[in-house]
Amino acid sequence: MAKKWLVAMVGAAATAGATAVGVALATPVLAEGLELHPPKYPWNHNGLLNALDTCSVRRGYQVYKQVCAACHSMQYLCYRNLVGVIMDEDEAKREAEDIMVEDGPDEEGNMFKRPGKLADRFPAPYPNEEAARAANGGAYPPDLSYIVQARHGNEDYIFALLTGYCDAPEGIQLREGLHYNPYFPGSAIGMAQALYSEIIEYEDGTPATTSQLAKDVTTFLRWSSEPEHDIRKQMGLKAVMVFGLLLGVSYYLKRHKWSVLKSRKIAYKR
C-alpha cells in the first residue's frame, strides 16, 4: 500500500514538473527586456458608479488645444460633442468659428472658406499623412480620438507615457530624432516630451504641474474615446434598480400562482 502511494506521489510530481516546463517554454521571450508595463493608477472614474471628472475633462481639452493639437488630430470629434460637457452651446459655437473650413462648391463651382460650425470636426494639423511624416522625421502622429481604448493599458498607458521620459540607460544608443521612454514599445519614441510644469496656465487657476497636465489630458482623451461613459453608467444603475423591482414582483407572483399547487393534498379513496 505504501509503495503505491509513493509511486502515485512521484507520478504527480513528475506531471507537475512537466507542466511547469511546458508553460515556461510556451511563454514568449520579448527582445525588449527594458520595456515597462504601466502601473495601475487610481482613476476616480474607474468605479462602477463613478463619473468622469468634468473639471479635469475641461482642463484636458485646454491642454490638447494648446499643446497636443499642433501634431495630433481628433478627426472623429465634432464641436457639438463639447456642448454640455466642456462648454455651453454659445461657447462651442464661438470655438468652432475660430477655425476656417473649406466648403463648396459654390454656384460657380469654386471651393471657399467659411467659419466653422458645431457640426464640423476638429481641424487636422496636417493636410495628409505624408506631410505629417515629413514634419516629424518620418514618424506619424496618431489620431487621438480613440487612443485610450486603442492602447493596451488604456489611460494608465497614456499617463505613464506622458510622464515617463528619462535619460537612456548606459549602453543604449538612440538615433537622432528619437527619445527614450521605457513605456513605449521598443523604448525609442519619435515624440519629444511635450508636457512641462507651467507650460500653460489653466483658466481655473489649477497649478499646471507636469503630472496634473498629463492627468487632465488623459481624462479628456478617455472622454473622447467614450463620450457616453457617464450615460452608460447611469443607464446601468437604472436597469439594476428596475430589474431588482421586477425580481421582487416576479417572486411574489410565483409564490401566489404556485401556492395552490404546492399546498394541495391528494387523497386516495377505495
Side-chain angles (χ1 to χ4, degrees):
M1 189 67 177
K3 186 177 181 180
K4 292 183 178 180
W5 276 103
L6 181 61
V7 172
M9 292 177 62
V10 171
T15 303
T19 303
V21 171
V23 171
L25 293 176
T27 303
V29 179
L30 300 179
E32 296 82 2
L34 297 179
E35 180 182 339
L36 296 180
H37 294 283
K40 294 292 184 180
Y41 295 105
W43 299 97
N44 54 9
H45 56 265
N46 279 347
L48 293 177
L49 302 178
N50 293 356
L52 289 168
D53 185 353
T54 306
C55 295
S56 183
V57 174
R58 293 172 181 170
R59 292 193 299 266
Y61 172 69
Q62 185 179 349
V63 177
Y64 166 77
K65 180 181 176 182
Q66 299 184 19
V67 180
C68 309
C71 299
H72 294 275
S73 62
M74 297 192 77
Q75 61 177 332
Y76 300 107
L77 204 64
C78 300
Y79 284 96
R80 65 170 179 263
N81 299 126
L82 305 178
V83 178
V85 180
I86 298 176
M87 55 189 70
D88 57 32
E89 185 173 350
D90 293 335
E91 292 175 336
K93 287 182 178 179
R94 290 193 296 268
E95 189 82 6
E97 291 172 355
D98 289 339
I99 66 171
M100 298 300 294
V101 180
E102 185 177 14
D103 203 348
D106 56 13
E107 295 179 354
E108 298 178 355
N110 300 319
M111 304 299 289
F112 60 92
K113 296 284 187 178
R114 62 164 176 81
K117 302 178 182 179
L118 289 179
D120 291 323
R121 301 180 185 274
F122 283 15
Y126 304 104
N128 50 60
E129 181 178 340
E130 287 71 19
R133 291 187 181 277
N136 292 275
Y140 179 59
D143 185 86
L144 299 182
S145 302
Y146 299 102
I147 193 68
V148 170
Q149 292 187 339
R151 294 296 183 268
H152 178 69
N154 304 122
E155 53 262 63
D156 292 331
Y157 169 76
I158 302 298
F159 182 86
L161 182 71
L162 293 175
T163 59
Y165 287 89
C166 60
D167 296 331
E170 191 71 24
I172 295 182
Q173 299 293 331
L174 299 176
R175 68 177 177 84
E176 185 179 359
L178 295 181
H179 310 272
Y180 184 77
N181 192 316
Y183 295 102
F184 186 76
S187 301
I189 184 172
M191 182 181 73
Q193 183 175 356
L195 301 181
Y196 296 91
S197 296
E198 308 300 332
I199 192 174
I200 67 172
E201 184 177 351
Y202 279 133
E203 297 176 355
D204 60 0
T206 302
T209 61
T210 302
S211 58
Q212 185 67 50
L213 293 168
K215 183 254 185 185
D216 291 336
V217 74
T218 302
T219 305
F220 168 72
L221 294 177
R222 176 65 194 185
W223 168 80
S224 68
S225 297
E226 192 180 9
E228 71 281 359
H229 177 275
D230 295 351
I231 299 178
R232 174 174 57 82
K233 291 187 176 181
Q234 290 177 0
M235 294 301 295
L237 178 60
K238 293 178 181 179
V240 170
M241 295 173 62
V242 171
F243 285 133
L245 178 61
L246 293 178
L247 179 63
V249 174
S250 300
Y251 179 75
Y252 172 78
L253 291 177
K254 181 260 182 186
R255 293 295 300 269
H256 177 73
K257 295 294 184 181
W258 285 84
S259 60
V260 178
L261 296 177
K262 287 190 174 183
S263 60
R264 67 180 181 178
K265 181 177 180 181
I266 300 178
Y268 296 95
K269 298 181 179 180
R270 292 183 180 180

